[in-house]
Amino acid sequence: MKTETFLRILAGLLCAGNTGAENPLEFREYTQTVRLEFLSPREARQAQLLANPLPRNYKLAVSARWDDSAWEHLRTLEHMKKYGLKGTFYQNNPVWCLRRDPDYLKTLQTGGCSIGLHTVTHPHLPCVDSVSHFREYMRNRIMLEVSGQACINSQVLPFCDWWEPVAHVTGSIGHGMRAAGIISSPDVMMKSEHRPALGHPPRSHAYSRILTPGDREPKLAVFEKQLKSCLADAETLRENPSISMAMHSWHSEEGLKTLDLIFERLARRPDWWYCNQTEYGAYRYEALNCSVRKETQDCAAIFSITRMTPAELGADVPLWFTVSAATPLKAAGGRLHGTLLEVPHDSQREVPRKIGRMMKNGTSSEFPELSLTLASLGAGKWRAVIKNQGWSDLRECEFTFRFPAVWEKAAMRADLPAVKAGSSASVTVVQPSRRPELYFQYGAPYAALQLDFRRNGKQNRLYAEWEEPAPEKLPLPPDDAALICEMPPNADPAGISRPDTVLAKSGLTASRHIRKRKNAGPYSIHPVIDNRKWPRDTAVLAILDFETDSASPLQFRSRSLEAWLKCEIWFNGKKIGPAHSGTVDLQPLSGRNRLVFRTPPNHGIVFTLTGREDSQIKFLKTE
């Protein structure tokens, strides 16, 4: 009897490597029951159920990522289909492609492929304000889910740009991803030592190692070298068992022939899982965060599996387990494949089949009988109101409130069992706290609301948004203060950077091809070139004056100090940097000071100036 008790306790402890997993993003969960029959009660007590890192016994997930709203993606898709490869096409605003073909996004989802997020306007994310980190992804998601009628959980970074050593920036980008429901990124930060700065909790984000043999003219030798390196990196593959081809559909005719050779080498390997990034992200989150509880009944082991809903995950992918320590004879609630157990989602749990949005005029073309609004009640309190003027009840109404990084919680959830036809209902959530740092106060306030519901037995989704004008009474940010101009051929940046130099007499001229980017962050200067014929060797000059009430040393911190970024910086007549550490000390004058940046075209500058706690730094309109 003591032996049986010990075995029962041991089986309970070992029944899953993820027993009691945390579900770090607080996705909605439900429980399924699987009953396995064994030859004897002893085998039933010994049996363990372990979630597999990938479906079946696959060793590697293989996919592809293709960036931007490009018509050429359709050509890339056809080449992928020839070899049974799947991938995800990451879109910005595909308005021109949709005008050319309204089914553009739907076509990209054939052959097992999916669509993903690449932000609406393709900014250098470190250069925009904190609210825009969220808005760029959230509006991108709403736009694409409605246009493509498909759930999205994956992103790739515009310009592969995300890391800045200055305070708050990278963490705000990570918060924006989580707030928008992103759990998958086949991107450059996979092996970066700076990745923790994004703030993603453990087991919450699936990464893929990207293979980049070239866009227009891919090189087979480069691909084979990169693939060999990836497959040899066992430690990385244990954490993120995925590779992804990348990244633009710019191939020439000769390039497409090489692409076929690359696809041929990737295809048809029996121990590789060919998936899109939406499926990969959904499976990995669930496999790492599901939990299993067990009880026995004679020769049967009854496993209760707590897992995430497909609507939260963004894809309906069966979960696979290995049955160990005993051999099952048959299963109820799952499908046996030898000692492998496949558990599809409950038939009543599915991804939305119809997705709509509320427009600014208060109507939805997808759900004209519904009205959904989001309102801020002040003091961190938010209210959602749903009005159902249709003939059918709304069931299992799940409200997900989504917020930028100024708020503590990226997402908050509240549910209602039903909203009767001809009635209305509301739910309210309260944010625990608001971040006080000045960095988070810039940008036009924005939040979004997602309502998932069942109607007439089908799953649906409706979005609403809330926004206000940007606050006016904030200190002048660098981008508004700086003078931006074309770099003259014989300019003297050191002389220009002296505070007593009169800029009007320095031969500097503004160019009509240079503008300042909208929504620049409070640490940023981001000139944008509007002319594609702008000479590559013509730099941009950004001049920024500031004053301080103390001559105490300042710390200047910026990735732009790193030599490879080719940004030159002068301060009060002297050149500073380069500095691999991204930090230099400056000795300011009490009063007016001047920074001058010489940057390549379309290069954003992100920096902080900090001094003693009692030091006051004020940026001045530079003219």
Side-chain angles (χ1 to χ4, degrees), residues 129-139 172 175-177 179-180 402-405 410 446-448:
D129 61 61
S130 177
V131 179
S132 293
H133 295 155
F134 169 54
R135 184 194 290 108
E136 284 283 345
Y137 281 122
M138 193 67 233
R139 282 207 163 143
S172 175
H175 179 108
M177 292 181 187
R402 301 185 179 279
F403 301 99
Y446 173 81

Side-chain angles (χ1 to χ4, degrees), residues 397-414:
C397 299
E398 299 174 341
F399 298 82
T400 304
F401 298 74
R402 301 185 179 279
F403 301 99
V406 67
W407 297 103
E408 178 182 335
K409 291 278 192 178
M412 302 185 74
R413 292 165 172 83

Side-chain angles (χ1 to χ4, degrees), residues 321-375:
F321 297 86
T322 295
V323 184
S324 64
T327 302
L329 302 177
K330 62 179 181 178
R335 294 190 284 264
L336 278 175
H337 306 263
T339 57
L340 296 179
L341 176 67
E342 178 187 8
V343 185
H345 279 285
D346 186 288
S347 60
Q348 296 299 305
R349 305 282 181 170
E350 57 183 358
V351 294
R353 302 304 176 187
K354 184 178 181 181
I355 304 175
R357 69 184 300 181
M358 300 301 302
M359 306 303 291
K360 289 184 178 180
N361 63 5
T363 65
S364 168
S365 58
E366 296 82 15
F367 299 100
E369 70 284 1
L370 301 181
S371 171
L372 180 66
T373 57
L374 172 62

Side-chain angles (χ1 to χ4, degrees), residues 95-114:
V95 58
W96 297 110
C97 294
L98 289 171
R99 287 179 183 176
R100 188 171 176 179
D101 179 3
D103 290 330
Y104 167 74
L105 292 178
K106 294 178 182 178
T107 302
L108 291 180
Q109 296 174 71
T110 59
C113 293
S114 66

Side-chain angles (χ1 to χ4, degrees), residues 170-412:
T170 301
S172 175
I173 293 171
H175 179 108
M177 292 181 187
R178 294 188 297 279
I182 294 167
I183 56 175
S184 168
S185 296
D187 224 320
V188 292
M189 66 277 216
M190 175 176 173
K191 295 199 69 175
S192 172
E193 62 182 305
H194 304 303
R195 198 176 78 193
L198 288 164
H200 297 323
R203 304 191 311 277
S204 70
H205 207 94
Y207 297 94
S208 297
R209 178 84 173 266
I210 57 174
L211 307 177
T212 54
D215 287 328
R216 288 182 176 82
E217 306 291 343
K219 300 292 189 292
L220 184 60
V222 173
F223 161 77
E224 290 178 335
K225 181 179 179 180
Q226 290 180 350
L227 180 61
K228 182 179 180 180
S229 173
C230 286
L231 298 181
D233 190 353
E235 182 178 352
T236 298
L237 290 180
R238 269 194 298 272
E239 181 185 3
N240 291 289
S242 176
I243 61 173
S244 186
M245 269 291 293
M247 74 179 51
H248 296 104
S249 294
W250 297 343
H251 313 99
S252 67
E253 290 303 318
E254 283 300 313
L256 285 171
K257 294 177 183 178
T258 306
L259 194 66
D260 279 341
L261 295 175
I262 290 172
F263 286 167
E264 187 176 26
R265 282 158 172 75
L266 278 176
R268 304 183 184 97
R269 302 203 185 189
D271 57 345
W272 288 5
W273 178 34
Y274 296 97
C275 60
N276 61 56
Q277 286 293 326
T278 311
E279 294 170 327
Y280 175 67
Y283 186 89
R284 286 292 289 172
Y285 188 92
E286 200 170 27
L288 293 171
N289 295 292
C290 68
S291 61
V292 179
R293 295 291 180 269
K294 174 190 171 186
E295 61 183 56
T296 58
Q297 192 177 82
D298 296 327
C299 295
I302 302 167
F303 295 95
S304 296
I305 302 168
T306 299
R307 62 191 302 187
M308 294 77 214
T309 66
E312 290 274 22
L313 294 167
D316 183 351
V317 184
L319 198 52
W320 287 75
F321 297 86
T322 295
V323 184
S324 64
T327 302
L329 302 177
K330 62 179 181 178
R335 294 190 284 264
L336 278 175
H337 306 263
T339 57
L340 296 179
L341 176 67
E342 178 187 8
V343 185
H345 279 285
D346 186 288
S347 60
Q348 296 299 305
R349 305 282 181 170
E350 57 183 358
V351 294
R353 302 304 176 187
K354 184 178 181 181
I355 304 175
R357 69 184 300 181
M358 300 301 302
M359 306 303 291
K360 289 184 178 180
N361 63 5
T363 65
S364 168
S365 58
E366 296 82 15
F367 299 100
E369 70 284 1
L370 301 181
S371 171
L372 180 66
T373 57
L374 172 62
S376 170
L377 306 181
K381 185 179 291 187
W382 297 81
R383 177 171 294 165
V385 177
I386 175 68
K387 296 180 180 179
N388 179 11
Q389 301 303 314
W391 296 98
S392 302
D393 296 348
L394 310 184
R395 303 284 184 184
E396 300 172 28
C397 299
E398 299 174 341
F399 298 82
T400 304
F401 298 74
R402 301 185 179 279
F403 301 99
V406 67
W407 297 103
E408 178 182 335
K409 291 278 192 178
M412 302 185 74

Side-chain angles (χ1 to χ4, degrees), residues 46-77:
Q46 291 177 330
Q48 302 171 37
L49 201 60
L50 304 170
N52 290 2
L54 294 174
R56 298 186 181 271
N57 270 330
Y58 291 128
K59 301 298 187 292
L60 185 68
V62 178
S63 187
R65 64 166 271 191
W66 304 106
D67 296 13
D68 305 327
S69 299
W71 187 255
E72 291 76 13
H73 287 332
L74 299 174
R75 184 180 61 176
T76 303
L77 173 64

Side-chain angles (χ1 to χ4, degrees), residues 402-532:
R402 301 185 179 279
F403 301 99
V406 67
W407 297 103
E408 178 182 335
K409 291 278 192 178
M412 302 185 74
R413 292 165 172 83
D415 300 342
L416 291 174
V419 178
K420 297 288 186 181
S423 69
S424 62
S426 66
V427 294
T428 302
V429 298
V430 181
Q431 277 281 358
S433 65
R434 180 186 173 99
R435 299 181 194 274
E437 295 89 348
L438 186 62
Y439 174 78
F440 297 104
Q441 313 314 313
Y442 286 85
Y446 173 81
L449 175 66
Q450 172 187 320
L451 170 60
D452 291 331
F453 61 95
R454 292 185 70 81
R455 186 175 64 176
N456 299 326
K458 295 182 179 180
Q459 191 75 20
N460 303 278
R461 174 171 292 170
L462 180 60
Y463 283 108
E465 298 169 275
W466 171 91
E467 58 186 332
E468 284 187 342
E472 295 180 356
K473 295 182 179 180
L474 290 172
L476 188 69
D479 196 69
D480 287 348
L483 172 66
I484 311 293
C485 59
E486 182 179 337
M487 179 79 171
N490 300 315
D492 175 18
I496 293 171
S497 72
R498 289 195 293 268
D500 57 354
T501 297
V502 179
L503 297 178
K505 298 180 180 180
S506 299
L508 302 176
T509 57
S511 171
R512 61 187 178 88
H513 299 304
I514 303 176
R515 62 178 172 86
K516 295 181 180 180
R517 199 186 201 289
K518 293 182 179 179
N519 305 321
Y523 298 162
S524 308
I525 301 174
H526 194 188
V528 177
I529 308 301
D530 280 332
N531 187 354
R532 292 190 176 185

Side-chain angles (χ1 to χ4, degrees), residues 552-569:
S552 300
L554 300 175
Q555 186 179 78
F556 178 87
R557 189 170 179 82
S558 175
R559 191 162 56 108
S560 296
L561 286 166
E562 298 181 20
W564 69 275
L565 286 170
K566 300 180 180 178
C567 176
E568 297 179 286
I569 308 172

